[in-house]
């Protein structure tokens, strides 16, 4: 390859790399129909975050409208384990923490929980609701005193 | 009695998932309503068994492993009522252990149990306890009242039959 084109190629590559690192996202525009999957180290789907609208709130923080968070079994079966629904939520992408002040519904085949002012920590496998909690367990609790 | 779901209401709720079981802690005016049952307390911790899939965040709950209610515990089920400081329900062992000045009342027979610890065997209507004290309804006086005048007999006493001839 003639030296000039090689030089040009190198220049283009350098320019491309330079622009990529300086590109700033336009953060004031909402993302419509936001979708963000997450995977286990083995490559199985772990969760799928969806929202009708997402706004970039700050570094690593995204505000969502109409959160629909699907948690999978995280194995080859790729089955839906639990659904978390909320009118609004904030996601901390770095440590996969989702929280909200609004109402929340957690739906699973063995229970359904609702309340408000909540957090879901995916890595710690922990759900916390701090107001108006109501949990319906589809499990019988019989004859405690009989 | 129509079986009903177990509904738990409280101010706070915290649910953690470990490999084989999930732990949920309810705090603040906890009320549990279930089949023919109402339980209220300050704090309730339920440990539920999970199926073998450790990666599932909130897994399938096989059944209660244990349920511990603490603080102003009141349990009402059918004709029985219990009040205590701590109640530990162990479905697997089919029993409930009441401590913290427990009192159990069975309104169908008007019996009351108290003790340091009361252990109720589920489905057997049997109660065991340490330093247990049992209070039942009053029993009529079974003693002989010596002062009581015998009423005069109206008819002559029956004649004694003659001895049999050999």
């Amino acid at each position: 390859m003639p030296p000039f084109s090689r030089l040009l190629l190198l220049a283009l590559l350098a320019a491309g790399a330079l622009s990529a690192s300086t590109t700033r996202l336009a953060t004031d525009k909402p993302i419509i129909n936001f979708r963000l999957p997450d995977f286990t180290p083995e490559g199985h789907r772990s969760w799928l975050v969806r929202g009708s609208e997402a706004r970039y709130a700050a570094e690593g923080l995204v505000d969502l409208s109409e959160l629909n968070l699907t948690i999978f079994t995280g194995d080859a079966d790729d089955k839906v384990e639990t659904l978390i629904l909320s009118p609004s939520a904030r996601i901390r992408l770095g440590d996969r923490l989702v929280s909200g002040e609004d109402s929340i519904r957690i739906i699973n085949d063995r229970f359904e929980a609702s309340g408000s002012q909540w957090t879901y920590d995916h890595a710690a496998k922990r759900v916390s609701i701090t107001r108006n909690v109501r949990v319906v367990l589809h499990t019988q609790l019989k004859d405690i005193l009989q | 009695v129509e079986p009903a779901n177990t509904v738990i209401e409280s101010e706070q709720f915290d649910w953690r998932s470990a490999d084989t079981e999930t732990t949920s802690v309810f705090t603040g005016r906890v009320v549990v309503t279930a089949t023919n049952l109402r339980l209220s307390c300050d704090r309730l911790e339920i440990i539920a068994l999970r199926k073998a899939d450790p990666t599932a965040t909130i897994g399938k709950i096989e059944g209660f492993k244990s349920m511990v209610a603490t603080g102003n515990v009141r349990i009402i089920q059918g004709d029985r009522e219990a009040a205590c400081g701590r109640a530990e329900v162990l479905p697997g062992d089919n029993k409930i252990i009441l401590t913290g000045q427990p009192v159990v009342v069975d309104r169908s027979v008007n019996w009351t149990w108290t003790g340091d610890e009361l252990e109720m065997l589920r489905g057997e209507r049997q109660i065991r306890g340490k330093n247990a004290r049992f209070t039942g309804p009053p029993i009529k006086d079974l003693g002989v009242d010596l002062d009581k005048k015998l009423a005069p007999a109206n008819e002559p006493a029956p004649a004694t039959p003659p001895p049999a001839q050999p």
Side-chain angles (χ1 to χ4, degrees):
Chain A
M1 183 191 291
F4 172 69
S5 49
R6 193 182 304 129
L7 205 63
L8 181 62
L9 182 62
L10 284 177
L12 282 175
L13 284 177
L18 189 66
S19 68
S21 67
T22 56
T23 301
R24 301 296 307 162
L25 287 173
T27 56
D28 54 347
K29 296 287 183 294
I31 300 167
I32 306 301
N33 288 336
F34 176 86
R35 287 171 64 92
L36 177 67
D38 184 52
F39 298 90
T40 65
E42 297 77 28
H44 303 310
R45 259 197 312 188
S46 177
W47 78 353
L48 172 61
V49 176
R50 286 174 288 183
S52 59
E53 189 177 285
R55 286 181 181 277
Y56 183 86
E59 186 62 40
L61 284 180
V62 174
D63 284 340
L64 273 183
S65 304
E66 294 175 84
L67 167 76
N68 181 312
L69 170 55
T70 308
I71 301 162
F72 296 91
T73 48
D75 54 18
D77 295 347
D78 199 34
K79 274 196 233 137
V80 174
E81 175 67 45
T82 297
L83 276 179
I84 295 181
L85 310 173
S86 179
S88 66
R90 166 163 287 191
I91 303 178
R92 232 167 50 194
L93 298 171
D95 45 15
R96 294 179 298 173
L97 196 80
V98 192
S99 59
E101 293 294 318
D102 241 315
S103 62
I104 179 176
R105 275 182 71 203
I106 304 173
I107 302 162
N108 183 300
D109 62 349
R110 300 301 292 247
F111 75 94
E112 183 165 331
S114 60
S116 55
Q117 207 170 67
W118 55 274
T119 56
Y120 168 63
D121 184 336
H122 191 54
K125 297 188 179 180
R126 179 180 175 190
V127 177
S128 297
I129 302 176
T130 58
R131 199 180 292 159
N132 308 324
V133 173
R134 188 172 193 274
V135 174
V136 179
L137 297 180
H138 307 318
T139 301
Q140 285 293 309
L141 187 57
K142 290 187 290 203
D143 299 337
I144 281 191
L145 294 185
Q146 298 308 328
Chain B
V1 177
E2 188 59 35
N5 279 333
T6 305
V7 178
I8 306 171
E9 294 179 313
S10 66
E11 287 171 349
Q12 287 91 33
F13 164 68
D14 191 276
W15 184 295
R16 281 167 205 269
S17 228
D19 281 353
T20 55
E21 57 194 40
T22 63
T23 302
S24 53
V25 177
F26 298 82
T27 50
R29 291 190 296 167
V30 184
V31 177
V32 180
T33 48
T35 311
N36 188 20
L37 166 82
R38 186 179 191 280
L39 181 153
S40 58
C41 60
D42 299 337
R43 183 181 191 276
L44 179 71
E45 178 169 315
I46 296 180
I47 297 179
L49 301 173
R50 274 190 48 189
K51 245 185 183 170
D53 173 10
T55 59
T57 294
I58 299 166
K60 299 199 185 309
I61 305 162
E62 285 314 291
F64 293 117
K65 178 180 173 187
S66 73
M67 186 167 97
V68 180
T70 50
N72 301 303
V73 182
R74 289 285 305 280
I75 309 172
I76 300 170
Q77 180 156 41
D79 44 26
R80 283 194 163 184
E81 189 170 338
C84 58
R86 186 180 195 276
E88 186 171 1
V89 180
L90 303 167
D93 303 338
N94 257 331
K95 67 182 173 186
I96 173 170
I97 301 169
L98 308 178
T99 50
Q101 293 161 339
V103 178
V104 174
V105 178
D106 189 324
R107 298 196 190 289
S108 64
V109 286
N110 203 9
W111 289 350
T112 302
W113 291 264
T114 58
D116 295 344
E117 175 183 295
L118 294 177
E119 192 176 285
M120 305 180 72
L121 305 181
R122 287 172 68 220
E124 299 177 29
R125 294 189 79 89
Q126 197 188 133
I127 298 179
R128 296 194 291 238
K130 290 177 184 157
N131 293 328
R133 177 191 171 91
F134 158 73
T135 310
I139 301 173
K140 215 166 47 164
D141 182 357
L142 303 177
V144 176
D145 185 356
L146 297 178
D147 301 335
K148 202 176 209 182
K149 296 286 178 287
L150 291 179
N154 298 334
E155 299 137 24
T160 52
Q165 300 302 329

